[in-house]
Structures are given as C-alpha cells and as structure tokens.
Amino acid sequence: MCIRDRYQRRVHGENHFLVSRKMRVQITGACLVMFLVLLHQTLAYETFAIYRWYHPHIHDHFYTISQAENAGRHGYNFEGIGFYTLKRQEAGSVPIHRILRSTGDHFYTTNGIEASSVGGSREGIIGYAYTSQVAGSVPLYRYFCPKCRVGDHFYTIYPHLEKLNGYNLEGIIGSVSYTHLTLPTIYSV
C-alpha cells in the first residue's frame, strides 16, 4: 500500500482515499476516524528524549540520550529535556554527531564534513534529525558563545524562551521533534 500517494476526494457524497494509483479504499463516518487513528499509531516514529545539562563553571552545555550517563557527577546541572530525535534513520533524516572538542565544548552537527573538520573526539550519534521541516517537527537552532570559557555551543527548539546573552545564532542544524512521537513526511497533508 503506497500511502505517499494518498489523497482525499469527494465522490458521490462519500469519502474516498486513493491509496495508490491502482487501489481505492472507501471509508465513511466512524470508520474514517478509526482509520486515521490506526494510521497515526502505525506511522509515528519512535524518538529519543535528548537531556540537556549545563556546567556553570566551564560554561558548557551537554546533550545526551542517556540519563545513566549522569553528567551531574561531573559538575553539570540537569536542565530537562531539550528536544527529541528519531531513534532510527528514516527517509529525509541525517545523523546528529556528538563531538567533544579539545576546548571542552560539546559540539553537535548533522554535517558530516563539519563533524570531521571541527577537531576533538567523536563520541557517536545521539539520534537523527530531518534535513527539512516535516509535520510534527521543529527547527533545532545552534548558538555559539565566543566569550564562554570553552566556547560553548547551545542547541534549542525554543530560542524565543531562552536567555541567550552573549550567544550568536549559527543556524539551524536540522528539524527535530518536540514530543515523544513524530509523524513521518508521508503522513503530512
């Protein structure tokens, strides 16, 4: 069943969904609601919560998928869930690389060339981000504080709510989810 080609038509007063160019599914009333609920549950991608930590003495933000990593024992303060990333690479998504720079700054990027050229030790992938905004996703902004001790990079989906004194916007590194589930591109209307 190719849901990517799905669209709704009014034909003789009833709802029809074109599931593929060859197959038509007729759905009416309560069946339409049930179909959409099941479709949502089937297509929703699983995500990781990305936990945000901050070290006030060295001015470094640290993001991780694992609470067991417990940055608190290294002087970091827990600031909550920053955003959610895809658990697996899906169509239209790229890995988010985690790098510990030689300055002590934790750096995250979706650009493979940038990940190789920034210097420091690669610590793996923390999840996947869409390369463009899709239904259920929001932009992930990257800021940089050149005056911070380690040259801190800060990542947020809520730039208007953060206190960003001394931080300069570097751009958007991808689109991530603000909830524990995100809808794939093929579900967007």
Side-chain angles (χ1 to χ4, degrees):
M1 224 157 69
C2 179
I3 297 177
R4 181 181 305 272
D5 297 330
R6 167 184 67 71
Y7 68 93
Q8 183 177 5
R9 277 197 227 171
R10 293 294 284 178
V11 179
H12 305 293
E14 296 181 62
N15 291 323
H16 292 266
F17 284 82
L18 185 65
V19 176
S20 73
R21 286 181 170 58
K22 297 176 183 173
M23 179 190 305
R24 187 183 316 172
V25 177
Q26 181 179 6
I27 303 172
T28 60
C31 291
L32 175 61
V33 173
M34 180 64 106
F35 172 76
L36 292 175
V37 167
L38 291 173
L39 181 64
H40 177 271
Q41 291 172 348
T42 303
L43 295 179
Y45 292 142
E46 288 185 89
T47 57
F48 282 123
I50 302 299
Y51 302 102
R52 185 170 92 187
W53 297 80
Y54 178 68
H55 197 298
H57 301 296
I58 62 171
H59 303 285
D60 179 45
H61 282 90
F62 175 61
Y63 302 81
T64 179
I65 61 173
S66 172
Q67 285 186 312
E69 199 165 6
N70 194 356
R73 67 176 178 235
H74 300 291
Y76 285 82
N77 298 322
F78 182 63
E79 293 189 331
I81 295 173
F83 51 91
Y84 294 83
T85 65
L86 294 169
K87 285 186 177 182
R88 290 175 292 287
Q89 189 161 15
E90 303 292 344
S93 69
V94 291
I96 302 174
H97 304 275
R98 182 171 104 181
I99 300 154
L100 177 59
R101 296 176 55 215
S102 57
T103 62
D105 174 41
H106 285 91
F107 182 76
Y108 303 82
T109 183
T110 54
N111 183 320
I113 295 170
E114 186 177 45
S116 298
S117 65
V118 73
S121 58
R122 291 182 120 175
E123 296 185 328
I125 294 171
I126 65 165
Y128 299 87
Y130 291 109
T131 55
S132 61
Q133 198 166 352
V134 299
S137 74
V138 292
L140 178 59
Y141 298 89
R142 180 171 75 199
Y143 288 84
F144 178 66
C145 178
K147 295 179 182 177
C148 293
R149 185 171 164 191
V150 297
D152 184 37
H153 282 89
F154 175 72
Y155 303 81
T156 184
I157 59 174
Y158 303 111
H160 57 286
L161 299 177
E162 305 286 356
K163 295 179 183 175
L164 296 170
N165 298 336
Y167 284 84
N168 303 320
L169 177 64
E170 287 193 331
I172 296 170
I173 70 165
S175 288
V176 295
S177 184
Y178 54 88
T179 64
H180 70 286
L181 291 176
T182 187
L183 298 178
T185 307
I186 58 174
Y187 188 75
S188 60
V189 178

